[in-house]
Structures are given as C-alpha cells and as structure tokens.
Amino acid sequence: MLVHAIPANAAYEFASDVRSGLTRGRQKELPSKYLYDDVGSALFEVISHLDEYGLTRADERLLRRHGPEIVDRLEGSIAVAELGSGSGKKTRWVLEALCRRQPTFYYPVEISHSALVMCERELRDIDSIAIVGFEREYLDGLLEVAAHRKRGQHLLVLFLGSTIGNFDRPAGLRFLSGIRRILEPGDWLLLGTDLEKSSSQLLRAYDDELGVTAAFNLNLLARINRELEADFVLSQFAHVARINPEARSVEMHLLSRRMQVVNIPAAELVVEFAEGETIWTESSHKYSAEEIPSMARASGFFCEAQWIDAQWPFAENLLRAA
Ligand code: AVI
C-alpha cells in the first residue's frame, strides 16, 4: 500500500492542544482524537468485541446484509474514500460488492499509522482493489483524495461507526457541510449513526465490566506521559461514563481521585487538579432515525435510504450530494 505520511508538526499540535485543554477555566478537556495512538487504536478494537458495546457489530451486520444493495444504488464509476477506516473489517462488504462490478481505488484516511497498516492487511486480498492510504486529518485527507479522482468518476465517502457522534450536534453539521463542499453533485456519503437507547445500556457500553474502556480512556494520560514527558500517576485518576440528557450523549471523563499537581514539560505546563475534578475526554451523541434526513438536508445532502439494525439501534444512511 502506498501511504502518504503525516506532516511533522503533529507533536507541536498535540502539546498545544493539551496546553489549551488543561488550562480551561470551568471544565478541563482533551480532544477525543488523541485517544487513538497505537495503544488506543488497539484498545478500541478490543472494545468493539465486548458484549456491552454492540455498536460496531451492528454497523458491520448492516453492511454485510445490505452492502450489495447499497452498491446497486450507486451509478457509474466509483472511487471509495473512508474517513477513519479503523481495522477496515466492516468496509469489506461494500468493497467486495463494488469490486465485483469494477476495479476500485480505496483511499482510507486515518490519523493512526497502525490502523492504516491493519486496514491494508485486512483488505488487500480483495480482487481488483488498489489501496492508497492517507495518514491525515479527515477533511485534509478527503481534499487530497478528491484531487486524485478521475474525470467522470464519483466518490463514495464512508463515515462509519458513528464517529459523527463524537462531534457535538452543531460541529457535526459543520463537518458534514465540510465534506459536502469537497464533493461534487452526485457523489455519495454513507453515514453510520448510533441511535438513542436506554441510559443503563449506554452506561454499560461506555463503562464495561472488564475495564477495557477505562484503559482506553486512561491511555490518553499515558500517551501524554510518553510523548510529552508528563508525570501523570494513572492510579490517581478514574474512568467515569456519564449521561448528558440535554446533549443526548454519553460522556467519558477522567476523575482526579485527590488534589494533585502534574508536570507536562513538553507542553511547558504545570496543572493542578482538585479532588473530584474531571477532564472531559469524549462525547458520543446518539440520534433519532428521523433527524438524519434533516441533518442531511441542512448540510447539502439528500438522504436516499436508511437501514436500521434489529438487534442494536443503529442506522446506516446513504446520502447523495445535492
Ligand atoms: C469511535 N467512536 C464512535 C466510539 C464511540 O462509541 O463514541 C469511541 C468509543 N469511546 C468509548 N467507547 C468507544
């Protein structure tokens, strides 16, 4: 696989995001994209196998069952870009259906190098596929993919796994509009969205018994120790999952078990934590099936079709660039 690698300023950006997130007045915060270094990506892969976390399996079930039907709806020659490919396992069903029809370029866009490598290993056996990875932020990568498209070819963008839910609602709409601006009329977006479910089911999904989600969350502090020479003592922080009913989301926090001071030399920062204070590390927004078509319209798409899983409320939405 050809991989276009990440620009060298990533370490500076990480230090500066950590500095601004941990010096916020009311609520300390770290961007959830930093959960996915090599360790975090591997832990997320384990989460997707946990009984309590049905999201990834629902996504994959829908794609396995409806992949050929999804592909039948796309006319003409298609190239596929995937934002946040992860291991690539669930993408196989769409790619296999498309590759039976035409030789296909597949462009995974990922900030995790190890996830790109995993994805290539998972999918390279598909006949008539060429894989070109972009180690980039989503929209930067998509811009480059769009520049590679051939005349008359349409793009199918895959944004699966309800990663859209990790944006708040306004930011999610801005992100969809950002995708739309890069696309041309007649291009496609296949959007996976996790649907609303009971608080108890959500709390189990985001605070599993084995403690894998806790490790996934705490790894963010371990990453700051590794990459920014910080001295977080992991046992002095606890993973917490919380429902936010107004935002219709479940949040992950890291709670300081006592008053403590942490040094982060590479970010030129010394941070104080009060006992019980939290760092907000992620929000996962949940949707009603009915709100997706209006989100699509508001961002310049038309919702052509929607498939909902019978076991775990999750929707696959096929949007056409209007
Ligand atoms: C990647 N993303 C959609 C996952 C989610 O459910 O929000 C990340 C995750 N966080 C905790 N468990 C899984």
Side-chain angles (χ1 to χ4, degrees):
M1 170 178 64
L2 181 61
V3 175
H4 297 274
I6 203 160
N9 62 6
Y12 292 102
E13 246 179 69
F14 183 37
S16 122
D17 287 347
V18 166
R19 192 166 42 245
S20 63
L22 295 185
T23 50
R24 260 203 200 131
R26 284 173 72 210
Q27 169 70 67
K28 292 183 171 62
E29 207 177 309
L30 289 169
S32 60
K33 66 178 179 180
Y34 293 118
L35 291 164
Y36 301 91
D37 65 347
D38 288 355
V39 178
S41 299
L43 286 167
F44 178 62
E45 177 61 23
V46 179
I47 289 174
S48 70
H49 293 277
L50 297 175
D51 278 352
E52 296 99 320
Y53 190 82
L55 188 158
T56 313
R57 289 187 299 280
D59 198 10
E60 188 179 353
R61 256 193 313 276
L62 287 170
L63 294 172
R64 189 173 54 215
R65 201 162 292 159
H66 302 290
E69 187 188 339
I70 292 169
V71 164
D72 279 351
R73 287 174 174 264
L74 319 172
E75 297 119 30
S77 162
I78 301 282
V80 180
E82 181 164 17
L83 310 183
S85 58
S87 71
K89 260 183 215 142
K90 52 186 185 283
T91 316
R92 161 175 295 276
W93 310 107
V94 173
L95 290 174
E96 279 186 347
L98 195 58
C99 285
R100 280 196 288 274
R101 179 172 102 188
Q102 54 154 81
T104 303
F105 271 95
Y106 168 57
Y107 303 101
V109 178
E110 255 295 342
I111 46 174
S112 158
H113 181 79
S114 60
L116 272 182
V117 171
M118 250 199 308
C119 162
E120 201 285 307
R121 256 188 232 138
E122 176 70 30
L123 299 171
R124 67 184 165 202
D125 66 309
I126 299 178
D127 280 342
S128 311
I129 195 165
I131 306 179
V132 180
F134 286 90
E135 201 177 317
R136 296 276 192 284
E137 300 271 342
Y138 297 145
L139 294 186
D140 293 345
L142 185 58
L143 263 175
E144 292 198 43
V145 171
H148 278 71
R149 82 154 82 200
K150 305 211 171 60
R151 258 174 147 247
Q153 191 171 52
H154 280 301
L155 279 182
L156 166 65
V157 178
L158 306 176
F159 195 36
L160 305 174
S162 202
T163 304
I164 183 80
N166 296 136
F167 295 103
D168 63 29
R169 283 181 158 74
L173 270 187
R174 284 197 298 279
F175 186 75
L176 292 181
S177 305
I179 295 179
R180 174 62 192 87
R181 274 195 293 277
I182 296 170
L183 298 185
E184 290 175 4
D187 287 343
W188 300 90
L189 171 62
L190 185 63
L191 179 69
T193 48
D194 200 25
L195 302 181
E196 288 166 311
K197 41 192 67 67
S198 74
S199 297
S200 58
Q201 193 174 6
L202 282 178
L203 288 174
R204 277 198 305 278
Y206 289 83
D207 193 5
D208 61 276
E209 262 200 299
L210 256 182
V212 185
T213 309
F216 172 65
N217 198 8
L218 282 161
N219 174 58
L220 185 43
L221 303 184
R223 178 179 183 179
I224 299 174
N225 285 350
R226 285 191 293 271
E227 296 181 24
L228 303 178
E229 301 147 36
D231 58 4
F232 278 104
V233 178
L234 301 198
S235 59
Q236 295 305 331
F237 287 85
H239 164 71
V240 177
R242 279 185 194 160
I243 302 294
N244 181 333
E246 289 84 46
R248 290 190 282 147
S249 68
V250 52
E251 297 178 352
M252 295 204 309
H253 289 253
L254 290 162
L255 178 141
S256 174
R257 294 184 191 273
R258 60 173 167 90
M259 206 277 263
Q260 54 187 317
V261 176
V262 176
N263 297 290
I264 313 178
E268 294 169 357
L269 187 64
V270 177
V271 205
E272 283 182 23
F273 291 92
E275 184 179 340
E277 183 178 6
T278 71
I279 311 172
W280 177 20
T281 52
E282 186 191 67
S283 288
S284 255
H285 293 80
K286 306 301 168 188
Y287 301 91
S288 68
E290 299 75 39
E291 75 183 291
I292 309 297
S294 48
M295 276 166 66
R297 267 192 308 278
S299 51
F301 288 96
F302 177 77
C303 185
E304 290 265 341
Q306 188 177 65
W307 297 267
I308 295 178
D309 187 61
Q311 277 169 260
W312 176 277
F314 186 97
E316 220 68 78
N317 311 279
L318 183 62
L319 314 186
R320 186 168 43 80

